[in-house]
Amino acid sequence: MLAAASLAAVGPASPAAAESGDYAWRNARIEGGGFIPGVVFNQSEPGLAYARTDIGGAYRWDGDRGRWVPLLDWVGWQEWGWTGVAGLATDPVDPDNVYAAVGTYTNDWDPRNGAILRSRDRGGTWEAAELPFKLGGNMPGRGVERLSVDPNDNSVLYLGAPSGHGLWRSTDYGETWSEVATFPNPGDYVQDPDDSSGLSSDNQGVGWIAFDKSSGSPGSRTQDVYVGVLDKDNTVYRSTDGGRSWERIPGQPEGHLAIEGVVDHENGLLYISTSDTGGPYSGDSGDVWKFDFATEEWTNVSPVPSGSEDNYFGYGGLTIDRQNPGTLMVSTQISWWPDVQIYRTTDGGATWTQAWRYGAYPERINRYEMDVSNAPWLTFGEDPEPPETAPKLGWMTQAMEIDPFDSDRMLYGTGATLYGTEDLTDWDADETVTIEPRARGIEETAVNDLAAPPGDTPLVSALGDIGGFRHEDLGTVPDLMHTEPFHADVTSLDFAELAPEHFVRVGSGDDDSVPSIAVSSDGGATWQPGQEPSGVTGPGTAAMAADGSAIVWSAEGAGVHRSTDSGASWSASSGIPQGARVQADRVNPDVFYAHAGGSVYVSTDGGATFTESAAQDLPHSSVRFAAVPGNEGDVWLAGGSEDGAYGLWRSTDSGASFERVLGVEEADTVGFGKAKPGSAYPAVYTSARIDGQRGIFRSDDAGATWTRV
């Protein structure tokens, strides 16, 4: 038996109750921004719902405020992987109980094992039971819902584990866990055995758990339990004795993976959606099947069977209308072009209708209309030719749930947001269903870089997946991300400190023909593509001279180059190694700085040539550094690793030498803000460990003392 972790009560009474001094913490609103792999409604309390994300924590719906409330914002540096949620379960017997299976990666990217977090107050506070293995909230197959509570005996929970660790169970409300020794199959599906990173070469393991509630009684363990396994030949198992013994269900379909499973306990049926991959990015074939408990027969009820020439997708999200159990909906797991498809049946799969169909090709007849006025960026700035639409109906749709108390309410996840409707049954009257973003309060972007120009000017962000925005008002969702060109992953951006309307950004997109660099002359409101020097294989980092006269770009594959015509042409910089991280002095337009391999390089001719500094004993990796606005030659450098130099350093002589900032044990980034009243030097901010405590710290005296904010 795995004992509960020693770290108890790991979450604060409220995410906002963490140490904050005189700071008020709020999100810069984007609403969504990433994959929503799971949505669950409580089966006993109307209106209670939860959503999970792959990197951005878990959320509870607050109907009174009409927004999602973050539940895991308290997760700190040491447990950073716990923001990836691989499974989520709400207790159908006691709605105050909620559980989250947390851990971001099963490979060595995440150094910590996974955990089961349990809350007795709907996510206000948490306790943790650490597991002897990792979980993969951001791994392939993450749309499979791996955590479930017995609807009759809520002290019993099951977890489907990845990496060959099998099926796990708790019998004490999630406090302790042990492997179910009698469960016969830990799964064997591996997406890409040749992936040396371990991301796609992991065994995706055991997936969903579904209960036939009618086989138990309140307070007594449910006897009939169904489990989906990521194994194409043996994908559904059952127990008829409360989990003591298990068998592969005879006659089951083979050749696909059971992605989701739902039990219709009123009519004695199990439905499964299947795909040839675990998703969420792929899936070229699949079916929907129905298993009759009384006859022990399997029936293929696919809207488009895998044997049809029209089937080019697997099936993902699967949900049942608990008010009308013969009504189900299923989504295509992925259909990049022209769009995801959603199917609906009101007769148990005998017949299906679909969200959209073709008219006279390429005409598309939609059963729905999209209203994205509350998150207009979801169009991605596109106006595609039919049959594509902007916004898309969805993609990566493995989460889809009909409210068990309201047949008109349905939510489903995509790779960028959570969508929903409040008039779903209009579908059956052949009327138009309105679909809107329902992600208010959910914020899960990966922030790669930020730029805050001086004065009353907008914040500009560099994000993963959706590129980034010019945030005119931090409390308002932006209209559109950076486009023309659109970079899905912007890795670096900079502006001219003395002419802050001039910007540069670098990133990568889905189209190799799109240059990896763009420039702006209006503060990031509009952008123009630059040209690339030959050999560019990735975006790297870029810096802009203080007056905008030059750009220095350290691109992957091509090395460091300099442009004096806004990226129209480039010349190679000398004296600097490939892969260096670059920054500009914020006062002197001729001075640029770079770091590579523990050394600092300085240019005094606008980035044309660099000379290695004599500075020593600096960190070799994971370095972020920045020059101070208004102070020529003033540079702060943070970074390192536990097996080498790690901390915060400062140079006041343009990088010729650096002194370590005493008292800062570890630091990972550094930035500057408005000076304290009466002080001429900007406030310094760092994410660091100081006096043994991790946090975000501010110094108002150039690093002599620090306050945790």
Side-chain angles (χ1 to χ4, degrees), residues 329 342 344 353-356 366-371 393 407-412 419-436 438:
M329 298 181 75
I342 298 175
R344 180 174 169 91
T353 50
Q354 58 201 60
W356 61 271
N366 295 335
R367 193 183 294 271
Y368 66 91
E369 64 178 27
M370 301 285 286
D371 178 1
L393 178 60
S407 297
D408 271 320
R409 184 185 183 199
M410 183 266 284
L411 298 171
Y412 69 95
Y419 281 119
T421 181
E422 302 286 342
D423 55 11
L424 181 59
T425 58
D426 287 351
W427 181 307
D428 303 325
D430 206 23
E431 297 178 358
T432 300
V433 173
T434 301
I435 296 175
E436 299 173 305
R438 296 299 170 90

Side-chain angles (χ1 to χ4, degrees), residues 632-643:
E632 182 177 348
D634 197 343
V635 183
W636 293 67
L637 184 148
S641 60
E642 293 179 356
D643 58 355

